[in-house]
Amino acid sequence: AGAPKFPQEPLLSFLLDIARRDRNPEAAGFAFRALTAMAGGGIYDQIGGGFHRYSVDAQWLVPHFEKMLYNQSQLSRLYLTAWQLTGNPFLRRITTQTLDYVLREMQLPEGGFYSATDADSDGEEGRFFVWSFTELTESLAADELALVQQFFDISATGNFEGANIFSLRSELYPATTTDNDITTIHQLDRILLKLHAIRSLRNPPLRDDKLIVAWSAAMAASLAQAGFHLENTEYTIAARRAIDSIWKHNFDSERGLQRIYLNGKTSVVAQLEDYAALCEALLVLFDVAGESELLQRAKLLVDRMLGEFWNEESGGFFNNARAGNGPQLARSSHAADGATFSAIAVALGCLVGLYQRRALLDQDASDLEQRINQCIAAHAGQVAENPASHVTFLRSVMDFRQGSASPIQYAAAGRVKVTVRRQPQAQEHSLTIFLAVQIEAGWHVAAASKTALAPLTVALSPAETAWKLESVEFPASATAALYGEFTVKVLCRAAESKDCLARSVGLVLSLQACSDQLCLAPEQLSFRV
């Protein structure tokens, strides 16, 4: 593709979703190549972490040096998902470095996140980020400079107007990574920390200190996901602080949600993207923390969102709130993705999320399914006309019709929660997976070893080619039912497939939830982990 080049997070997210659902190596390969190329280029800050807004060339080398919060939230989530599918340590590295950058340089003291940093410093674009070869020779010992040149495109002539933008020239993690490779990476990281300390003495670019609810909430959702899957409590705590700060400063029952927080004051009536992003973050935090208050906040927000943005004539959502005093603006129902995920698509995803957890809500949720179907129908024409521009909307539709593709899923309208984790791989050809099941009080699932209409079972997904099922260990049960919390252990052995998804395995969990009075229809949850 030509220049300029933008990250295209909505499309990459859709491709990873397809890869996870259908074991599609072509979709996965496209996404992995794009993510790897971006992470190796100058659009990624190789010294400080985090992504610049876009690349002005076709090789991801020369960025527009501005950094936007929304890029950090969207891309960190993509790299986290890509790491989950591949186990590639380079993708994990980019995830954590990006999140660490946000916590270090874009986090408000009271919680939440600044919205952007500028491209210019000292009156020159990129001055803060580029290096002359003289600066590098004066800052580093000869062996340090040699190691930097081994991995990065650094030279006396430079690669950008006589200066150097750090970009990778060789892989940090070879296909077969040895202990010596890891030692070398640690040495390189110490040098990069040294350069980061030197760079921090320069005049930094200006920072936009306002908190924008949509962007800050999306960042919190990404941190919450990463905190859970990477087992990093710092990320989880930062996510919760951000959401609590937004709830404290930007939301009240009378005014609803305010979009901007700056210098202790809020302003600007929130748009659909603010409500939707905050609701999504609350759902992610609820999945991670299990606190019912978070789910109730999400339901409260959705009720306000429906009141402010729902199109009563045709169904679906408007992007902007009803006009108050002043000029009357046309209300957009545009559902296409832009630089950020479509607000209407995220709002639809929130409706789907509540619907999948509806039995856990204190308030009535009987109209959620009808609203979801109305929203899909209302925007279907736009999607059919240009599907490639509406991929986030399509992802929300798939979540509704096919079920979630997340490692945390719900059955029985939320009464059964299943969390899937893989054990770090001790042997190349062996993989152990744990499915943690939590069942609401008063409910149970039929045991796998007992006679039942639909006993609890685990099988490989039909499309799985890289693994064979070795064994499934269910908890011992003296009755025909399993209650409360328990874990299912699955052992897989590698088969012959060596494509880009060969490190992940697809599983299908079948179950039937029952109470003392009734049994619900059998369900299946599909995972790729």
Side-chain angles (χ1 to χ4, degrees), residues 13-25 27-28 81 85 349 352 356 391-409 460-464 501 504-508 524-529:
S13 184
F14 178 74
L15 292 172
L16 290 177
D17 196 62
I18 293 296
R20 176 174 267 171
R21 289 181 184 278
D22 302 334
R23 202 194 184 283
N24 187 319
T81 301
L85 291 174
V352 173
Q356 292 169 340
V391 288
T392 305
F393 194 91
L394 291 172
R395 279 201 297 120
S396 294
V397 173
M398 287 191 295
D399 277 351
F400 177 55
R401 293 182 174 167
Q402 301 177 22
S404 171
S406 168
I408 302 175
Q409 295 185 35
L460 291 177
S461 65
E464 185 54 61
L501 289 172
S504 64
V505 61
L507 297 176
V508 177
Q524 288 188 335
L525 303 180
S526 296
F527 301 90
R528 174 157 294 279
V529 62

Side-chain angles (χ1 to χ4, degrees), residues 440-455:
E440 286 291 297
W443 289 80
H444 63 270
V445 297
S449 58
K450 307 297 180 180
T451 301
L453 177 63

Side-chain angles (χ1 to χ4, degrees), residues 203-521:
N203 291 327
L206 293 176
R207 186 179 63 199
D208 186 340
D209 285 350
K210 67 176 176 291
L211 178 152
I212 300 173
V213 167
W215 300 1
S216 198
M219 191 71 247
S222 298
L223 281 161
Q225 287 184 347
F228 181 79
H229 295 296
L230 299 174
E231 300 183 57
N232 185 318
T233 56
E234 182 183 8
Y235 296 161
T236 309
I237 291 170
R240 183 59 189 264
R241 286 184 68 239
I243 294 306
D244 287 344
S245 180
I246 291 171
W247 200 258
K248 175 182 178 181
H249 296 122
N250 292 73
F251 181 80
D252 66 56
S253 56
E254 292 184 7
R255 295 193 305 163
L257 191 62
Q258 300 292 297
R259 178 174 172 82
I260 304 297
Y261 176 75
L262 178 64
N263 298 328
K265 297 180 180 180
T266 57
S267 62
V268 184
V269 173
Q271 302 301 300
L272 178 66
E273 66 169 343
D274 300 297
Y275 278 87
L278 182 54
C279 175
E280 181 186 45
L282 287 164
L283 290 174
V284 171
L285 275 170
F286 169 72
D287 290 348
V288 169
E291 298 176 27
S292 60
E293 177 194 4
L294 297 168
L295 185 62
Q296 300 308 322
R297 286 184 185 180
K299 178 61 167 65
L300 175 60
L301 271 183
V302 164
D303 289 342
R304 295 294 297 249
M305 186 171 71
L306 290 169
E308 290 289 335
F309 301 96
W310 187 255
N311 186 334
E312 296 293 348
E313 293 183 6
S314 62
F317 288 99
F318 293 111
N319 284 296
N320 46 326
R322 289 192 302 268
N325 297 326
Q328 303 296 301
L329 301 177
R331 302 186 74 187
S332 166
S333 293
H334 192 54
D337 295 304
T340 58
F341 300 125
S342 158
I344 289 175
V346 177
L348 174 61
C350 291
L351 295 181
V352 173
L354 287 182
Y355 178 74
Q356 292 169 340
R357 301 158 178 80
R358 61 193 179 280
L360 306 179
L361 296 169
D362 290 340
Q363 309 103 314
D364 177 60
S366 59
D367 70 334
L368 280 172
E369 185 175 11
Q370 180 181 358
R371 296 272 197 177
I372 292 167
N373 284 317
Q374 287 176 337
C375 185
I376 293 172
H379 299 288
Q382 296 180 38
V383 178
E385 186 175 336
N386 191 353
S389 296
H390 294 80
V391 288
T392 305
F393 194 91
L394 291 172
R395 279 201 297 120
S396 294
V397 173
M398 287 191 295
D399 277 351
F400 177 55
R401 293 182 174 167
Q402 301 177 22
S404 171
S406 168
I408 302 175
Q409 295 185 35
Y410 294 86
R415 299 179 182 94
V416 180
K417 178 182 180 181
V418 182
T419 303
V420 179
R421 289 185 184 274
R422 60 186 288 162
Q423 190 178 64
Q425 205 162 324
Q427 301 178 18
E428 182 180 355
H429 302 294
S430 176
L431 178 61
T432 302
I433 301 167
F434 296 96
L435 293 86
V437 182
Q438 298 173 264
I439 306 173
E440 286 291 297
W443 289 80
H444 63 270
V445 297
S449 58
K450 307 297 180 180
T451 301
L453 177 63
L456 185 70
T457 61
V458 177
L460 291 177
S461 65
E464 185 54 61
T465 59
W467 298 91
K468 297 177 181 178
L469 198 62
E470 181 88 353
S471 63
V472 181
E473 297 180 18
F474 296 95
S477 175
T479 69
L482 292 167
Y483 296 83
E485 300 183 12
F486 58 88
T487 300
V488 179
K489 181 180 178 181
V490 179
L491 178 64
C492 296
R493 296 286 180 187
E496 295 301 318
S497 177
K498 297 296 182 182
D499 61 34
C500 62
L501 289 172
R503 294 288 298 274
S504 64
V505 61
L507 297 176
V508 177
L509 176 69
S510 300
L511 60 87
Q512 183 175 25
C514 301
S515 69
D516 293 337
Q517 289 77 36
L518 77 157
C519 281
L520 303 179

Side-chain angles (χ1 to χ4, degrees), residues 6-14 16 35 38 51 53 68-82 95 98-99 102 214-223 225 273 277 280 337-343 346 392 395:
F6 290 81
Q8 301 292 333
E9 296 100 326
L11 178 59
L12 294 175
S13 184
F14 178 74
L16 290 177
L35 292 171
M38 284 190 291
F51 286 85
R53 189 177 178 189
M68 310 298 295
L69 180 65
Y70 63 76
N71 287 127
Q72 318 314 318
S73 69
Q74 295 176 163
L75 286 167
S76 61
R77 202 178 306 190
L78 287 174
Y79 281 92
L80 176 67
T81 301
T95 304
T98 301
L99 296 175
V102 170
W215 300 1
S216 198
M219 191 71 247
S222 298
L223 281 161
Q225 287 184 347
E273 66 169 343
E280 181 186 45
D337 295 304
T340 58
F341 300 125
S342 158
V346 177
T392 305
R395 279 201 297 120

